[in-house]
Amino acid sequence: MKTWMLAGALALATITGAPAAAQDTSGLRKVGAEVLFWSQEKRDANFPHMEKIFPGHVVKAGGKVRALPAGKPLPFSDAELDAFIASQHISGLIVVQNGKIRLERYARGYGRDGRWTSFSVAKSFTSTLVGAAIRDGYIKSLDEPVTKYIPELAGSGYDGVTIAQLLTMTSGVKWNEDYTDAKSDVARMFLEPVPAGEDPTVHYMKKLPRETAPGSKWVYKTGETNLIGVLVMRATRKPLADYLSEKVWRPAGMEQDAFWMIDPSGHEVSGCCLSVSLRDYARLGQLALEGGKGVVPANWFAEATRAHADIGVPGRGYGYQWWTYPQGRYGAQGIFGQTIRVDPKTRTVIAVSAAADKASDPAYGAARTAFLDKLFAAAR
């Protein structure tokens, strides 16, 4: 598995634990840096309760809840299902077809009323806010330059980069996402001192050099998703948690409040760090599947969930902060097993919350995909 799969954890390891209020954050940063190395016991205890450890903002639910009524139980072997849940350290698994729940299971002390951390699954939520901002007129076009909304990037490697290229991580700006390298960009991004009044993400990203022409090369960069969050915040003049509540949580009928961690400036970390209930993860997949009417432009999700960038893996690609898979499927993915996977052909959404024993592991990922394929096949 490539190092870009560690993005969510790396963002978490370097930015969490830095509350907006001025205080000694060294202890919290130390805890954040240890997330990758938590024991299984700590993962099980902390993934559903990140708000007890890290500072953040609440994404408020409200209004009418989108019903997910029970459907016909999915014909699937209980023994095989139990074995998969145990082997993948799964805490929650839900299969929704045509808006009805065909399978829902919880384990590891987790339940329907709880929340679970997302890691990089949050990127797809952030992408949806870009679509909402376009529909609301805050952003005119994805062809606009990033510098229109973040003028501090003028003269940097991001000069001439479009919003679309930021969304597809094809900016051409040089970036090191290697989690094993203490000098990597993602490890250093929030550790440097930031002058008063400057956004920490922008302060770091504007110093990065250009590597290739914009649009010519895909490189996974959590820092760029954080820039997208800054851009949306600047365009809307609203905190991301508030805008997510207004444009996604309430229109999509989310059932529970969410929790979004913040960076040293007090802004939400848009590249990771949302804690959401299992059913509400499924509701985001359902929103994308149904086109997001009234939330994003009519063609937004069709464009967001198709491959715009070649990631070097046969049959897979990258859209607007969504992964694309064979058979026309797409989804959101985070380390330690967090997953939303959508199959338009069968109108099926699968959401998984987990506490895998490794942040990223090729065998684990292959087994997960193979089992999800079986679930999709059973839903036909």
Side-chain angles (χ1 to χ4, degrees):
M1 187 70 69
K2 297 178 181 288
T3 54
W4 42 259
M5 292 306 295
L6 298 175
L10 194 46
L12 181 63
T14 57
I15 56 80
T16 56
Q23 58 178 287
D24 179 7
T25 62
S26 59
L28 286 169
R29 278 185 171 143
K30 181 180 179 182
V31 172
E34 291 174 350
V35 169
L36 282 178
F37 309 105
W38 277 344
S39 66
Q40 191 64 55
E41 183 181 9
K42 285 187 176 180
R43 284 192 292 272
D44 286 335
N46 294 338
F47 282 7
H49 302 292
M50 298 299 257
E51 68 278 5
K52 293 183 179 180
I53 305 170
F54 303 109
H57 295 155
V58 174
V59 181
K60 295 182 179 179
K64 185 177 181 181
V65 173
R66 162 74 187 257
L68 294 176
K72 182 179 179 181
L74 203 65
F76 212 86
S77 163
D78 284 340
E80 188 175 8
L81 184 62
D82 291 342
F84 174 70
I85 288 173
S87 67
Q88 297 254 315
H89 298 282
I90 286 173
S91 55
L93 170 65
I94 190 169
V95 179
V96 178
Q97 185 179 33
N98 294 318
K100 296 181 179 180
I101 297 175
R102 299 199 62 187
L103 185 152
E104 185 176 22
R105 293 284 293 271
Y106 294 94
R108 316 187 78 80
Y110 186 48
R112 175 181 168 181
D113 295 333
R115 292 189 295 233
W116 201 269
T117 189
S118 62
F119 296 103
S120 285
V121 167
K123 288 177 169 65
S124 301
F125 286 87
T126 297
S127 164
T128 303
L129 291 184
V130 176
I134 290 175
R135 184 180 183 276
D136 287 346
Y138 293 119
I139 296 172
K140 301 304 179 185
S141 167
L142 293 185
D143 295 327
E144 291 183 305
V146 173
T147 51
K148 176 180 177 180
Y149 299 91
I150 312 178
E152 305 97 301
L153 293 176
S156 75
Y158 287 95
D159 220 344
V161 172
T162 66
I163 298 172
Q165 289 163 346
L166 206 62
L167 282 167
T168 56
M169 297 190 183
T170 58
S171 67
V173 172
K174 188 175 182 179
W175 177 266
N176 179 358
E177 184 99 11
D178 187 350
Y179 234 161
T180 65
D181 182 0
K183 296 182 179 180
S184 68
D185 294 300
V186 73
R188 291 160 40 208
M189 181 167 51
F190 289 109
L191 296 181
E192 296 184 358
V194 179
E198 286 197 31
D199 182 273
T201 296
V202 177
H203 175 75
Y204 188 84
M205 304 297 281
K206 70 182 181 182
K207 296 183 293 184
L208 299 176
R210 176 71 59 78
E211 181 180 35
T212 61
S216 64
K217 182 181 179 181
W218 178 84
V219 176
Y220 193 84
K221 308 182 187 82
T222 290
E224 293 196 338
T225 314
N226 292 345
L227 274 183
I228 293 169
V230 173
L231 189 150
V232 171
M233 183 180 63
R234 296 277 184 89
T236 63
R237 299 185 178 182
K238 298 177 181 181
L240 293 182
D242 291 352
Y243 198 51
L244 187 63
S245 173
E246 173 190 342
K247 304 308 301 184
V248 176
W249 241 245
R250 297 184 182 189
M254 298 300 196
E255 190 171 355
Q256 297 186 46
D257 292 348
F259 170 79
W260 206 341
M261 294 184 199
I262 55 176
D263 68 18
S265 66
H267 299 149
E268 296 83 354
V269 183
S270 45
C272 75
C273 311
L274 262 173
S275 290
V276 179
S277 74
L278 183 66
R279 286 190 174 195
D280 286 343
Y281 281 126
R283 286 183 176 95
L284 178 69
Q286 198 68 30
L287 181 72
L289 180 62
E290 295 173 353
K293 183 178 180 181
V295 175
V296 294
N299 66 338
W300 175 261
F301 280 117
E303 283 296 303
T305 60
R306 73 174 181 85
H308 290 264
D310 182 354
I311 67 171
V313 180
R316 294 183 55 186
Y318 202 68
Y320 298 160
Q321 309 282 299
W322 290 86
W323 300 98
T324 64
Y325 303 94
Q327 303 183 56
R329 294 169 186 159
Y330 58 86
Q333 188 167 315
I335 57 168
F336 292 108
Q338 320 321 316
T339 304
I340 300 173
R341 196 75 56 91
V342 181
D343 181 27
K345 293 179 181 178
T346 61
R347 309 293 292 175
T348 303
V349 176
I350 300 175
V352 179
S353 294
D357 56 3
K358 295 180 182 178
S360 180
D361 173 48
Y364 179 98
R368 174 183 51 192
T369 291
F371 195 84
L372 296 186
D373 287 347
K374 290 183 178 181
L375 290 174
F376 284 128
R380 294 185 187 280

